[in-house]
Amino acid sequence: VFDPPSDDGGSPVTGYTVLSSPSDCTDPEAGSLSRNRTLTCQNNFVNYSFTVIATNAAGNSPESDPSNTVSTFLKARPRAYVGQRLNGSVDIFDTGTQTVIANVATGADPTAIAIDPTGTRVYVTNQSSDTVSVSNAETNAVISNVTAGFSAPVGIAVHPDNSKYYVGDFLNNRIVVLATGSNTVLNNIALGGVTNPISNLAMNPTGTRLYVGSLNFNQLKVIDTADDTIVASIPLGGIA
């Protein structure tokens, strides 16, 4: 919602157009007199500001002062993802209708699934293919099969700021850190000590700590995600 100009130059306003910065938003009512607009923007988790141009018989006005910034967020999709380990695929369920709406071929033995915080990418570890499949959550198409020297990748977690993701490299006894945009390796975190096969990964809500469960060593490793170093090993009473 925006206010009309204080001075129309002596000619009534015949329409308004709303512009965005960045410029990827569309004003579906451009040129109309409505001052209550809903724009469609192409990017998620982006800060946008908006300006208005008024039009009358004399032409277009200069752009108004920019609005306060607002952030865009995707609406949550009512989806659940289930790995079919024997079939090398992932079933996608509509949780509202409780029906399978798609099946996506990934790789052999899909083991763990993570969705990025924007809801646009789905990551699947394929334990027997030694890959991570990355798919587009909108189209359900696999857009990349990542190989980074994995040997039986298992658990996976995406950082809340969507800058990187962590993959449990089961037989190499390490955590591989990759960039979300390029899928390139940023770091390798050796778990050290005796062979300590990874079972699960979990990230705390703020993204400051990654927790790594173990099948053999009955302990929980705690990783500081600021520098990707192990800061604690917590003994447990059983398999993590």
Side-chain angles (χ1 to χ4, degrees):
V1 179
F2 53 88
D3 294 325
S6 58
D7 183 3
D8 62 13
S11 177
V13 173
T14 58
Y16 298 99
T17 300
V18 179
L19 305 176
S20 69
S21 178
S23 61
D24 55 69
C25 300
T26 303
D27 178 7
E29 297 180 82
S32 77
L33 284 169
S34 168
R35 292 186 288 109
N36 187 349
R37 301 290 175 90
T38 300
L39 275 68
T40 301
C41 301
Q42 300 302 311
N43 292 303
N44 195 34
F45 288 88
V46 170
N47 291 324
Y48 286 94
S49 63
F50 301 92
T51 56
V52 180
I53 293 175
T55 302
N56 64 10
N60 293 333
S61 72
E63 291 183 37
S64 67
D65 291 335
S67 68
N68 294 329
T69 58
V70 295
S71 295
T72 54
F73 297 89
L74 285 177
K75 294 181 178 179
R77 293 184 179 88
R79 302 287 185 266
Y81 296 82
V82 179
Q84 296 286 355
R85 298 185 67 168
L86 297 180
N87 297 330
S89 64
V90 171
D91 281 339
I92 304 173
F93 287 83
D94 184 314
T95 57
T97 62
Q98 298 185 17
T99 56
V100 176
I101 58 173
N103 177 269
V104 180
T106 54
D109 202 7
T111 304
I113 300 171
I115 301 169
D116 79 352
T118 70
T120 61
R121 294 291 181 268
V122 181
Y123 296 85
V124 181
T125 58
N126 304 303
Q127 186 172 356
S128 297
S129 293
D130 297 331
T131 61
V132 172
S133 295
V134 185
S135 62
N136 182 317
E138 184 69 33
T139 64
N140 298 323
V142 173
I143 56 177
S144 184
N145 283 300
V146 182
T147 57
F150 303 125
S151 185
V154 283
I156 190 166
V158 184
H159 195 280
D161 72 3
N162 203 30
S163 64
K164 57 186 176 179
Y165 61 101
Y166 294 78
V167 178
D169 196 357
F170 186 84
L171 294 181
N172 288 325
N173 196 30
R174 63 176 181 166
I175 304 296
V176 182
V177 189
L178 301 102
T180 51
S182 62
N183 297 310
T184 54
V185 175
L186 299 174
N187 209 346
N188 288 289
I189 307 170
L191 296 180
V194 298
T195 301
N196 185 25
I198 301 153
S199 56
N200 296 294
L201 305 186
M203 185 85 64
N204 72 350
T206 60
T208 59
R209 294 290 185 268
L210 178 74
Y211 300 93
V212 183
S214 163
L215 283 174
N216 289 349
F217 209 46
N218 299 340
Q219 66 175 214
L220 192 69
K221 298 280 189 182
V222 184
I223 294 171
D224 183 338
T225 60
D227 57 8
D228 293 332
T229 57
I230 297 171
V231 294
S233 295
I234 304 172
L236 302 173
I239 293 173

